[in-house]
Amino acid sequence: MTDSYDAGPTDVPILEETIGANLSRIAAEHPDVDALVDVAQGLRYTYAELNAEIDVVARGLMACGIATGDRVGLWAPNRAEWTISQYALAKIGAILVNVNPAYRTHELAYVLNQSGTRMLIAATSFKSSDYVAMVAEVRESAPALTDVVFLGTDDWDRLRDGASEVSPDDLAARMASLANTDPINIQYTSGTTGFPKGATLSHRNILNNGYFTTELIGLGPDDRLCIPVPFYHCFGMVMGNLGCTSHGTTMVIPAPGFDPGSTLAAVEAERCTGVYGVPTMFIAMQSHPEFAERDLSSLRTGIMAGAVCPVEVMKHCVEDMHMSEVAIAYGMTETSPVSCQTRMTDDLERRTSSIGRAHPHVEIKVVDPETGETVPRGEPGEFCTRGYSVMLGYWEDPEKTSAAIDPDGWMHTGDLAVMRDDGYCNVVGRIKDMVIRGGENVYPREIEEFLYTHPDVEDAQVIGVPDAKYGEEICAWIRMRPGRTALDVDAVRDFARERLAHYKIPRYVHVVDEFPMTVTGKVRKVEMRERSVEILGLSGE
């Protein structure tokens, strides 16, 4: 029987240049192509204009004394200045520290201190967060932080004005001194326990991952990509921004934060050929009252990632959103992020029941979590990946780095996956999410996919809760379609009987309006478990 190991194609070579050099080259090749459109701010830049603006900000940063390897935080929702700062920092070799817009003072102080951030570029506010007040509160406890630049104020103009003190030749010399293996980005992964870890990524890591992710959906200078996913996360700044700029594609920012109506409007107005999102975003767009009225005929592709895609949602993307070439991508921040992706020529079955196959220049395998041995194809185990995309390590945390990356360079993801005979993989859950009921291994994903087929169910999430008899029992959280009657346990049992093994049928059903989510659109199952135990009175189990 074949082992669960595969390696991606290597016919297209890896880009061996820095992010700044790549942008300058692409801008010279496609100077008049639209590079960036910020719908909310009414800003537009061609590649020539964007590259020139980035150089101004880069020289301004150098005038502030920002050196190669210095950490600079970006704390803002999606806006043109986020993207401009991202590339300006890359051109001068400063390490961009992504700060989650949802952070409060406790998390902000931790990230600034753990990374030793010297400058923070921040919005003044977003949603209910007053960033100015929060920065003032944490400054004393963040001794490395010497400069704060607030966007939308005179600070940004002053930063740009500083460019007059640094010549273009000085910037060119700085760019020439950089290596593409240098660290250029720290992304804090939201751990379910303890403080987040700073995944440290190089130019080579993220430039190539963005490049190959969009290479596989055929992006080019004629394409326009709508990016409603957050920039502070790999999905936005790597698969979105770097994926576009490495191909001369237009980046379209529909709004500062995700809004389904704004995203649909931007696709129509800007004639976008692609759109990104996690499944919950696509569900929100497809459920939006204006969905049927919007002209989405310009779409042909996009990427759904961040969670496994429900079959029905994917079908709506292909049939109702014209996204015949939409791809599923799978990965994690520590792998830049994508390790597996479906291909444009894949049939609907592969695009709705798998996470794709190995990315270019990436190896993947599925191993027994206990022994580390590669399992036969068709058997579940831990998904591991190796290649250019694996992070340099967790920032100043060698212990956690060695726990995640083994001596042979394999990143252990903590995801349970199955590799099929054709090399395509499917994630069946997290090792920590797997439910063991009466000795039977139950994979929540399988039950969720089944519940999606109920005509009244819009979304479903399955978790395990404590049970005195079986160890764990199945609990389903369900969101109903608008206007549909809420399901109860008996209705779900009737629907599942004859079609699911008895031990997979949920014992508990909890109907909700929304799931607890991270800001990247991932469902927080840890919180769901805690709340279920409370709601069901199972704390004594």
Side-chain angles (χ1 to χ4, degrees), residues 19-21 23-25 27 45 47-63 83-92 156 159-172 175:
I19 290 167
L23 178 68
S24 295
R25 176 171 66 79
Y45 299 87
Y47 266 94
E49 291 166 344
L50 183 65
N51 192 48
E53 176 65 13
I54 286 165
D55 283 358
V56 166
V57 174
R59 286 158 51 208
L61 288 163
M62 288 175 68
T83 304
I84 290 162
S85 299
Q86 173 188 347
Y87 288 88
L89 292 167
K91 285 202 177 198
I92 66 169
W156 183 253
L159 174 64
R160 292 180 77 261
D161 290 345
S164 61
E165 300 167 31
V166 176
S167 73
D169 287 346
D170 291 337
L171 174 58
M175 288 175 66

mmCIF file of all heavy atoms in Angstrom, residues 19-21 23-25 27 45 47-63 83-92 156 159-172 175:
data_model
loop_
_atom_site.group_PDB
_atom_site.id
_atom_site.type_symbol
_atom_site.label_atom_id
_atom_site.label_comp_id
_atom_site.label_asym_id
_atom_site.label_seq_id
_atom_site.Cartn_x
_atom_site.Cartn_y
_atom_site.Cartn_z
ATOM 1 N N ILE A 19 11.498 40.879 -1.518
ATOM 2 C CA ILE A 19 10.177 41.422 -1.825
ATOM 3 C C ILE A 19 10.308 42.775 -2.535
ATOM 4 O O ILE A 19 9.619 43.046 -3.521
ATOM 5 C CB ILE A 19 9.344 41.554 -0.530
ATOM 6 C CG1 ILE A 19 8.963 40.166 -0.007
ATOM 7 C CG2 ILE A 19 8.097 42.405 -0.753
ATOM 8 C CD1 ILE A 19 8.427 40.154 1.409
ATOM 9 N N GLY A 20 11.222 43.617 -2.035
ATOM 10 C CA GLY A 20 11.407 44.937 -2.636
ATOM 11 C C GLY A 20 11.904 44.862 -4.065
ATOM 12 O O GLY A 20 11.422 45.582 -4.949
ATOM 13 N N ALA A 21 12.879 43.984 -4.328
ATOM 14 C CA ALA A 21 13.415 43.828 -5.682
ATOM 15 C C ALA A 21 12.336 43.301 -6.619
ATOM 16 O O ALA A 21 12.221 43.739 -7.772
ATOM 17 C CB ALA A 21 14.613 42.884 -5.667
ATOM 18 N N LEU A 23 9.038 43.737 -6.351
ATOM 19 C CA LEU A 23 8.070 44.799 -6.642
ATOM 20 C C LEU A 23 8.639 45.793 -7.660
ATOM 21 O O LEU A 23 7.954 46.178 -8.607
ATOM 22 C CB LEU A 23 7.673 45.537 -5.366
ATOM 23 C CG LEU A 23 6.704 46.704 -5.607
ATOM 24 C CD1 LEU A 23 5.344 46.211 -6.063
ATOM 25 C CD2 LEU A 23 6.566 47.576 -4.376
ATOM 26 N N SER A 24 9.893 46.189 -7.472
ATOM 27 C CA SER A 24 10.503 47.147 -8.409
ATOM 28 C C SER A 24 10.544 46.568 -9.824
ATOM 29 O O SER A 24 10.286 47.279 -10.804
ATOM 30 C CB SER A 24 11.922 47.500 -7.945
ATOM 31 O OG SER A 24 11.881 48.179 -6.704
ATOM 32 N N ARG A 25 10.847 45.279 -9.931
ATOM 33 C CA ARG A 25 10.903 44.630 -11.246
ATOM 34 C C ARG A 25 9.527 44.586 -11.903
ATOM 35 O O ARG A 25 9.367 44.922 -13.084
ATOM 36 C CB ARG A 25 11.470 43.210 -11.096
ATOM 37 C CG ARG A 25 11.487 42.405 -12.394
ATOM 38 C CD ARG A 25 12.263 41.106 -12.229
ATOM 39 N NE ARG A 25 11.651 40.150 -11.323
ATOM 40 C CZ ARG A 25 10.624 39.356 -11.652
ATOM 41 N NH1 ARG A 25 10.056 39.442 -12.855
ATOM 42 N NH2 ARG A 25 10.152 38.483 -10.777
ATOM 43 N N ALA A 27 6.930 46.490 -11.233
ATOM 44 C CA ALA A 27 6.483 47.858 -11.531
ATOM 45 C C ALA A 27 7.107 48.363 -12.833
ATOM 46 O O ALA A 27 6.464 49.099 -13.602
ATOM 47 C CB ALA A 27 6.824 48.786 -10.376
ATOM 48 N N TYR A 45 -3.742 53.698 -7.435
ATOM 49 C CA TYR A 45 -2.333 53.801 -7.820
ATOM 50 C C TYR A 45 -2.051 52.820 -8.959
ATOM 51 O O TYR A 45 -2.469 51.650 -8.882
ATOM 52 C CB TYR A 45 -1.406 53.402 -6.660
ATOM 53 C CG TYR A 45 -1.508 54.223 -5.416
ATOM 54 C CD1 TYR A 45 -2.441 53.905 -4.423
ATOM 55 C CD2 TYR A 45 -0.651 55.299 -5.187
ATOM 56 C CE1 TYR A 45 -2.517 54.642 -3.246
ATOM 57 C CE2 TYR A 45 -0.711 56.047 -4.012
ATOM 58 C CZ TYR A 45 -1.653 55.702 -3.049
ATOM 59 O OH TYR A 45 -1.730 56.434 -1.881
ATOM 60 N N TYR A 47 1.048 50.705 -10.970
ATOM 61 C CA TYR A 47 2.262 50.102 -10.411
ATOM 62 C C TYR A 47 3.402 51.107 -10.299
ATOM 63 O O TYR A 47 4.153 51.118 -9.316
ATOM 64 C CB TYR A 47 2.681 48.856 -11.214
ATOM 65 C CG TYR A 47 2.109 47.601 -10.587
ATOM 66 C CD1 TYR A 47 0.901 47.061 -11.031
ATOM 67 C CD2 TYR A 47 2.755 46.987 -9.522
ATOM 68 C CE1 TYR A 47 0.354 45.938 -10.424
ATOM 69 C CE2 TYR A 47 2.216 45.866 -8.907
ATOM 70 C CZ TYR A 47 1.023 45.339 -9.364
ATOM 71 O OH TYR A 47 0.484 44.238 -8.738
ATOM 72 N N ALA A 48 3.537 51.975 -11.308
ATOM 73 C CA ALA A 48 4.596 52.999 -11.248
ATOM 74 C C ALA A 48 4.353 53.947 -10.075
ATOM 75 O O ALA A 48 5.275 54.278 -9.316
ATOM 76 C CB ALA A 48 4.657 53.769 -12.555
ATOM 77 N N GLU A 49 3.090 54.363 -9.892
ATOM 78 C CA GLU A 49 2.756 55.290 -8.806
ATOM 79 C C GLU A 49 2.922 54.631 -7.435
ATOM 80 O O GLU A 49 3.443 55.240 -6.494
ATOM 81 C CB GLU A 49 1.314 55.782 -8.973
ATOM 82 C CG GLU A 49 1.119 56.707 -10.170
ATOM 83 C CD GLU A 49 -0.349 56.909 -10.535
ATOM 84 O OE1 GLU A 49 -1.215 56.116 -10.064
ATOM 85 O OE2 GLU A 49 -0.631 57.848 -11.304
ATOM 86 N N LEU A 50 2.473 53.377 -7.331
ATOM 87 C CA LEU A 50 2.561 52.682 -6.041
ATOM 88 C C LEU A 50 4.027 52.460 -5.646
ATOM 89 O O LEU A 50 4.414 52.700 -4.501
ATOM 90 C CB LEU A 50 1.826 51.341 -6.097
ATOM 91 C CG LEU A 50 1.799 50.561 -4.767
ATOM 92 C CD1 LEU A 50 0.995 51.314 -3.713
ATOM 93 C CD2 LEU A 50 1.247 49.159 -4.957
ATOM 94 N N ASN A 51 4.821 52.032 -6.606
ATOM 95 C CA ASN A 51 6.237 51.789 -6.312
ATOM 96 C C ASN A 51 6.934 53.086 -5.880
ATOM 97 O O ASN A 51 7.742 53.095 -4.942
ATOM 98 C CB ASN A 51 6.929 51.184 -7.533
ATOM 99 C CG ASN A 51 8.309 50.641 -7.216
ATOM 100 O OD1 ASN A 51 8.484 49.915 -6.233
ATOM 101 N ND2 ASN A 51 9.292 50.995 -8.028
ATOM 102 N N ALA A 52 6.582 54.191 -6.539
ATOM 103 C CA ALA A 52 7.172 55.495 -6.186
ATOM 104 C C ALA A 52 6.752 55.911 -4.776
ATOM 105 O O ALA A 52 7.571 56.413 -3.981
ATOM 106 C CB ALA A 52 6.752 56.558 -7.205
ATOM 107 N N GLU A 53 5.472 55.718 -4.450
ATOM 108 C CA GLU A 53 4.972 56.071 -3.109
ATOM 109 C C GLU A 53 5.639 55.204 -2.046
ATOM 110 O O GLU A 53 6.009 55.692 -0.956
ATOM 111 C CB GLU A 53 3.448 55.908 -3.068
ATOM 112 C CG GLU A 53 2.805 56.154 -1.711
ATOM 113 C CD GLU A 53 2.943 57.595 -1.210
ATOM 114 O OE1 GLU A 53 3.314 58.494 -1.992
ATOM 115 O OE2 GLU A 53 2.685 57.814 -0.008
ATOM 116 N N ILE A 54 5.800 53.927 -2.334
ATOM 117 C CA ILE A 54 6.466 53.015 -1.388
ATOM 118 C C ILE A 54 7.905 53.455 -1.148
ATOM 119 O O ILE A 54 8.385 53.452 -0.012
ATOM 120 C CB ILE A 54 6.391 51.561 -1.923
ATOM 121 C CG1 ILE A 54 4.953 51.024 -1.742
ATOM 122 C CG2 ILE A 54 7.395 50.648 -1.220
ATOM 123 C CD1 ILE A 54 4.646 49.779 -2.534
ATOM 124 N N ASP A 55 8.580 53.892 -2.204
ATOM 125 C CA ASP A 55 9.962 54.362 -2.053
ATOM 126 C C ASP A 55 10.041 55.615 -1.166
ATOM 127 O O ASP A 55 10.971 55.767 -0.368
ATOM 128 C CB ASP A 55 10.591 54.649 -3.426
ATOM 129 C CG ASP A 55 11.011 53.369 -4.145
ATOM 130 O OD1 ASP A 55 10.851 52.279 -3.562
ATOM 131 O OD2 ASP A 55 11.494 53.463 -5.291
ATOM 132 N N VAL A 56 9.058 56.503 -1.318
ATOM 133 C CA VAL A 56 9.011 57.709 -0.471
ATOM 134 C C VAL A 56 8.892 57.298 0.999
ATOM 135 O O VAL A 56 9.630 57.787 1.866
ATOM 136 C CB VAL A 56 7.831 58.624 -0.884
ATOM 137 C CG1 VAL A 56 7.570 59.685 0.186
ATOM 138 C CG2 VAL A 56 8.118 59.286 -2.228
ATOM 139 N N VAL A 57 7.955 56.400 1.295
ATOM 140 C CA VAL A 57 7.750 55.970 2.683
ATOM 141 C C VAL A 57 8.979 55.208 3.195
ATOM 142 O O VAL A 57 9.391 55.367 4.351
ATOM 143 C CB VAL A 57 6.460 55.130 2.807
ATOM 144 C CG1 VAL A 57 6.306 54.556 4.215
ATOM 145 C CG2 VAL A 57 5.235 55.983 2.456
ATOM 146 N N ALA A 58 9.589 54.402 2.331
ATOM 147 C CA ALA A 58 10.795 53.655 2.723
ATOM 148 C C ALA A 58 11.917 54.617 3.129
ATOM 149 O O ALA A 58 12.585 54.433 4.159
ATOM 150 C CB ALA A 58 11.252 52.757 1.572
ATOM 151 N N ARG A 59 12.105 55.663 2.332
ATOM 152 C CA ARG A 59 13.150 56.655 2.651
ATOM 153 C C ARG A 59 12.785 57.431 3.924
ATOM 154 O O ARG A 59 13.651 57.753 4.742
ATOM 155 C CB ARG A 59 13.369 57.583 1.457
ATOM 156 C CG ARG A 59 14.129 56.898 0.328
ATOM 157 C CD ARG A 59 13.918 57.561 -1.033
ATOM 158 N NE ARG A 59 14.150 59.003 -1.004
ATOM 159 C CZ ARG A 59 13.554 59.878 -1.820
ATOM 160 N NH1 ARG A 59 12.677 59.450 -2.740
ATOM 161 N NH2 ARG A 59 13.823 61.154 -1.736
ATOM 162 N N GLY A 60 11.479 57.685 4.096
ATOM 163 C CA GLY A 60 11.017 58.341 5.328
ATOM 164 C C GLY A 60 11.310 57.497 6.564
ATOM 165 O O GLY A 60 11.715 58.018 7.607
ATOM 166 N N LEU A 61 11.120 56.182 6.431
ATOM 167 C CA LEU A 61 11.418 55.272 7.541
ATOM 168 C C LEU A 61 12.915 55.264 7.845
ATOM 169 O O LEU A 61 13.329 55.254 9.012
ATOM 170 C CB LEU A 61 10.939 53.853 7.198
ATOM 171 C CG LEU A 61 9.414 53.652 7.205
ATOM 172 C CD1 LEU A 61 9.039 52.387 6.461
ATOM 173 C CD2 LEU A 61 8.872 53.595 8.641
ATOM 174 N N MET A 62 13.735 55.282 6.784
ATOM 175 C CA MET A 62 15.189 55.332 6.985
ATOM 176 C C MET A 62 15.588 56.626 7.700
ATOM 177 O O MET A 62 16.463 56.624 8.571
ATOM 178 C CB MET A 62 15.914 55.204 5.646
ATOM 179 C CG MET A 62 15.849 53.802 5.042
ATOM 180 S SD MET A 62 16.580 53.712 3.377
ATOM 181 C CE MET A 62 18.317 53.978 3.740
ATOM 182 N N ALA A 63 14.904 57.732 7.349
ATOM 183 C CA ALA A 63 15.200 59.020 7.992
ATOM 184 C C ALA A 63 14.865 58.983 9.485
ATOM 185 O O ALA A 63 15.465 59.713 10.287
ATOM 186 C CB ALA A 63 14.421 60.136 7.294
ATOM 187 N N THR A 83 -0.753 48.463 3.066
ATOM 188 C CA THR A 83 -0.019 47.832 1.961
ATOM 189 C C THR A 83 1.260 48.604 1.645
ATOM 190 O O THR A 83 2.330 48.008 1.448
ATOM 191 C CB THR A 83 -0.928 47.757 0.721
ATOM 192 O OG1 THR A 83 -2.134 47.061 1.075
ATOM 193 C CG2 THR A 83 -0.252 47.043 -0.434
ATOM 194 N N ILE A 84 1.160 49.936 1.590
ATOM 195 C CA ILE A 84 2.341 50.760 1.300
ATOM 196 C C ILE A 84 3.419 50.529 2.359
ATOM 197 O O ILE A 84 4.596 50.342 2.038
ATOM 198 C CB ILE A 84 1.936 52.253 1.219
ATOM 199 C CG1 ILE A 84 1.094 52.499 -0.036
ATOM 200 C CG2 ILE A 84 3.158 53.162 1.244
ATOM 201 C CD1 ILE A 84 0.290 53.793 -0.020
ATOM 202 N N SER A 85 3.017 50.491 3.623
ATOM 203 C CA SER A 85 3.978 50.261 4.709
ATOM 204 C C SER A 85 4.594 48.859 4.611
ATOM 205 O O SER A 85 5.799 48.682 4.857
ATOM 206 C CB SER A 85 3.302 50.426 6.072
ATOM 207 O OG SER A 85 2.794 51.736 6.228
ATOM 208 N N GLN A 86 3.769 47.887 4.278
ATOM 209 C CA GLN A 86 4.265 46.506 4.140
ATOM 210 C C GLN A 86 5.464 46.436 3.187
ATOM 211 O O GLN A 86 6.499 45.835 3.509
ATOM 212 C CB GLN A 86 3.132 45.601 3.617
ATOM 213 C CG GLN A 86 3.572 44.179 3.281
ATOM 214 C CD GLN A 86 2.479 43.366 2.589
ATOM 215 O OE1 GLN A 86 1.308 43.756 2.551
ATOM 216 N NE2 GLN A 86 2.843 42.230 2.028
ATOM 217 N N TYR A 87 5.330 47.073 2.024
ATOM 218 C CA TYR A 87 6.395 47.010 1.021
ATOM 219 C C TYR A 87 7.551 47.956 1.350
ATOM 220 O O TYR A 87 8.711 47.637 1.063
ATOM 221 C CB TYR A 87 5.820 47.294 -0.365
ATOM 222 C CG TYR A 87 4.975 46.152 -0.875
ATOM 223 C CD1 TYR A 87 3.621 46.079 -0.578
ATOM 224 C CD2 TYR A 87 5.542 45.124 -1.618
ATOM 225 C CE1 TYR A 87 2.846 45.026 -1.010
ATOM 226 C CE2 TYR A 87 4.775 44.060 -2.061
ATOM 227 C CZ TYR A 87 3.422 44.008 -1.751
ATOM 228 O OH TYR A 87 2.664 42.947 -2.181
ATOM 229 N N ALA A 88 7.237 49.101 1.961
ATOM 230 C CA ALA A 88 8.304 50.038 2.344
ATOM 231 C C ALA A 88 9.229 49.389 3.376
ATOM 232 O O ALA A 88 10.459 49.513 3.290
ATOM 233 C CB ALA A 88 7.697 51.325 2.898
ATOM 234 N N LEU A 89 8.641 48.685 4.336
ATOM 235 C CA LEU A 89 9.446 48.003 5.348
ATOM 236 C C LEU A 89 10.284 46.899 4.718
ATOM 237 O O LEU A 89 11.454 46.699 5.074
ATOM 238 C CB LEU A 89 8.539 47.436 6.447
ATOM 239 C CG LEU A 89 7.843 48.486 7.316
ATOM 240 C CD1 LEU A 89 6.732 47.861 8.148
ATOM 241 C CD2 LEU A 89 8.851 49.195 8.223
ATOM 242 N N ALA A 90 9.688 46.180 3.760
ATOM 243 C CA ALA A 90 10.429 45.109 3.084
ATOM 244 C C ALA A 90 11.619 45.675 2.319
ATOM 245 O O ALA A 90 12.697 45.073 2.280
ATOM 246 C CB ALA A 90 9.504 44.344 2.147
ATOM 247 N N LYS A 91 11.437 46.856 1.707
ATOM 248 C CA LYS A 91 12.527 47.454 0.918
ATOM 249 C C LYS A 91 13.718 47.854 1.790
ATOM 250 O O LYS A 91 14.852 47.857 1.321
ATOM 251 C CB LYS A 91 12.023 48.663 0.126
ATOM 252 C CG LYS A 91 11.174 48.273 -1.090
ATOM 253 C CD LYS A 91 11.138 49.371 -2.137
ATOM 254 C CE LYS A 91 10.349 48.922 -3.368
ATOM 255 N NZ LYS A 91 10.626 49.754 -4.546
ATOM 256 N N ILE A 92 13.463 48.187 3.051
ATOM 257 C CA ILE A 92 14.577 48.608 3.910
ATOM 258 C C ILE A 92 15.017 47.498 4.876
ATOM 259 O O ILE A 92 15.884 47.713 5.715
ATOM 260 C CB ILE A 92 14.247 49.900 4.696
ATOM 261 C CG1 ILE A 92 13.110 49.668 5.712
ATOM 262 C CG2 ILE A 92 13.889 51.035 3.730
ATOM 263 C CD1 ILE A 92 12.926 50.833 6.681
ATOM 264 N N TRP A 156 1.639 60.794 9.425
ATOM 265 C CA TRP A 156 1.939 60.119 8.152
ATOM 266 C C TRP A 156 2.630 61.094 7.187
ATOM 267 O O TRP A 156 3.604 60.712 6.512
ATOM 268 C CB TRP A 156 0.660 59.544 7.561
ATOM 269 C CG TRP A 156 0.851 58.759 6.282
ATOM 270 C CD1 TRP A 156 0.505 59.139 5.025
ATOM 271 C CD2 TRP A 156 1.440 57.452 6.152
ATOM 272 N NE1 TRP A 156 0.820 58.154 4.113
ATOM 273 C CE2 TRP A 156 1.405 57.108 4.783
ATOM 274 C CE3 TRP A 156 1.992 56.547 7.057
ATOM 275 C CZ2 TRP A 156 1.895 55.900 4.285
ATOM 276 C CZ3 TRP A 156 2.486 55.326 6.568
ATOM 277 C CH2 TRP A 156 2.437 55.024 5.200
ATOM 278 N N LEU A 159 6.177 61.532 8.256
ATOM 279 C CA LEU A 159 6.973 60.361 7.872
ATOM 280 C C LEU A 159 7.387 60.465 6.399
ATOM 281 O O LEU A 159 8.559 60.271 6.055
ATOM 282 C CB LEU A 159 6.177 59.077 8.119
ATOM 283 C CG LEU A 159 6.832 57.774 7.640
ATOM 284 C CD1 LEU A 159 8.126 57.495 8.400
ATOM 285 C CD2 LEU A 159 5.865 56.603 7.793
ATOM 286 N N ARG A 160 6.423 60.813 5.556
ATOM 287 C CA ARG A 160 6.712 60.949 4.120
ATOM 288 C C ARG A 160 7.705 62.098 3.858
ATOM 289 O O ARG A 160 8.603 61.985 3.015
ATOM 290 C CB ARG A 160 5.420 61.183 3.331
ATOM 291 C CG ARG A 160 4.475 59.982 3.311
ATOM 292 C CD ARG A 160 3.217 60.275 2.522
ATOM 293 N NE ARG A 160 3.479 60.211 1.079
ATOM 294 C CZ ARG A 160 3.690 61.260 0.299
ATOM 295 N NH1 ARG A 160 3.698 62.491 0.813
ATOM 296 N NH2 ARG A 160 3.893 61.113 -0.998
ATOM 297 N N ASP A 161 7.533 63.205 4.572
ATOM 298 C CA ASP A 161 8.415 64.378 4.374
ATOM 299 C C ASP A 161 9.873 64.041 4.678
ATOM 300 O O ASP A 161 10.787 64.638 4.104
ATOM 301 C CB ASP A 161 7.969 65.542 5.265
ATOM 302 C CG ASP A 161 6.634 66.145 4.801
ATOM 303 O OD1 ASP A 161 6.229 65.838 3.647
ATOM 304 O OD2 ASP A 161 6.010 66.867 5.591
ATOM 305 N N GLY A 162 10.070 63.086 5.573
ATOM 306 C CA GLY A 162 11.438 62.700 5.933
ATOM 307 C C GLY A 162 12.225 62.118 4.768
ATOM 308 O O GLY A 162 13.463 62.045 4.816
ATOM 309 N N ALA A 163 11.515 61.724 3.721
ATOM 310 C CA ALA A 163 12.188 61.131 2.552
ATOM 311 C C ALA A 163 13.217 62.088 1.948
ATOM 312 O O ALA A 163 14.204 61.658 1.339
ATOM 313 C CB ALA A 163 11.154 60.734 1.500
ATOM 314 N N SER A 164 13.005 63.397 2.136
ATOM 315 C CA SER A 164 13.929 64.379 1.548
ATOM 316 C C SER A 164 15.335 64.288 2.148
ATOM 317 O O SER A 164 16.310 64.762 1.562
ATOM 318 C CB SER A 164 13.377 65.798 1.730
ATOM 319 O OG SER A 164 13.245 66.083 3.119
ATOM 320 N N GLU A 165 15.417 63.642 3.325
ATOM 321 C CA GLU A 165 16.720 63.521 3.998
ATOM 322 C C GLU A 165 17.515 62.291 3.552
ATOM 323 O O GLU A 165 18.679 62.127 3.924
ATOM 324 C CB GLU A 165 16.512 63.449 5.520
ATOM 325 C CG GLU A 165 15.826 64.664 6.113
ATOM 326 C CD GLU A 165 15.365 64.403 7.542
ATOM 327 O OE1 GLU A 165 16.038 63.612 8.244
ATOM 328 O OE2 GLU A 165 14.331 64.969 7.946
ATOM 329 N N VAL A 166 16.859 61.408 2.796
ATOM 330 C CA VAL A 166 17.505 60.157 2.369
ATOM 331 C C VAL A 166 17.408 60.054 0.848
ATOM 332 O O VAL A 166 16.316 60.139 0.287
ATOM 333 C CB VAL A 166 16.823 58.930 3.033
ATOM 334 C CG1 VAL A 166 17.423 57.626 2.518
ATOM 335 C CG2 VAL A 166 16.945 59.011 4.556
ATOM 336 N N SER A 167 18.522 59.867 0.176
ATOM 337 C CA SER A 167 18.509 59.853 -1.296
ATOM 338 C C SER A 167 18.039 58.507 -1.837
ATOM 339 O O SER A 167 18.148 57.480 -1.153
ATOM 340 C CB SER A 167 19.912 60.134 -1.829
ATOM 341 O OG SER A 167 20.733 58.995 -1.613
ATOM 342 N N PRO A 168 17.528 58.491 -3.068
ATOM 343 C CA PRO A 168 17.190 57.223 -3.721
ATOM 344 C C PRO A 168 18.384 56.264 -3.766
ATOM 345 O O PRO A 168 18.206 55.048 -3.663
ATOM 346 C CB PRO A 168 16.757 57.650 -5.127
ATOM 347 C CG PRO A 168 16.250 59.049 -4.947
ATOM 348 C CD PRO A 168 17.126 59.654 -3.891
ATOM 349 N N ASP A 169 19.580 56.798 -3.878
ATOM 350 C CA ASP A 169 20.774 55.944 -3.898
ATOM 351 C C ASP A 169 20.978 55.251 -2.549
ATOM 352 O O ASP A 169 21.408 54.090 -2.490
ATOM 353 C CB ASP A 169 22.034 56.765 -4.240
ATOM 354 C CG ASP A 169 22.075 57.162 -5.712
ATOM 355 O OD1 ASP A 169 21.297 56.580 -6.494
ATOM 356 O OD2 ASP A 169 22.875 58.052 -6.064
ATOM 357 N N ASP A 170 20.669 55.968 -1.470
ATOM 358 C CA ASP A 170 20.777 55.363 -0.131
ATOM 359 C C ASP A 170 19.799 54.193 0.009
ATOM 360 O O ASP A 170 20.133 53.151 0.579
ATOM 361 C CB ASP A 170 20.479 56.399 0.963
ATOM 362 C CG ASP A 170 21.561 57.466 1.070
ATOM 363 O OD1 ASP A 170 22.696 57.183 0.652
ATOM 364 O OD2 ASP A 170 21.254 58.577 1.557
ATOM 365 N N LEU A 171 18.580 54.392 -0.513
ATOM 366 C CA LEU A 171 17.580 53.313 -0.478
ATOM 367 C C LEU A 171 18.058 52.136 -1.333
ATOM 368 O O LEU A 171 17.953 50.972 -0.903
ATOM 369 C CB LEU A 171 16.220 53.822 -0.972
ATOM 370 C CG LEU A 171 15.117 52.751 -1.126
ATOM 371 C CD1 LEU A 171 14.850 52.023 0.197
ATOM 372 C CD2 LEU A 171 13.826 53.385 -1.653
ATOM 373 N N ALA A 172 18.564 52.415 -2.523
ATOM 374 C CA ALA A 172 19.045 51.347 -3.412
ATOM 375 C C ALA A 172 20.165 50.555 -2.736
ATOM 376 O O ALA A 172 20.221 49.313 -2.837
ATOM 377 C CB ALA A 172 19.521 51.938 -4.732
ATOM 378 N N MET A 175 18.591 48.287 -0.113
ATOM 379 C CA MET A 175 17.952 47.139 -0.762
ATOM 380 C C MET A 175 18.986 46.114 -1.225
ATOM 381 O O MET A 175 18.783 44.901 -1.082
ATOM 382 C CB MET A 175 17.096 47.604 -1.942
ATOM 383 C CG MET A 175 15.817 48.324 -1.532
ATOM 384 S SD MET A 175 14.914 48.993 -2.962
ATOM 385 C CE MET A 175 14.430 47.463 -3.806
#
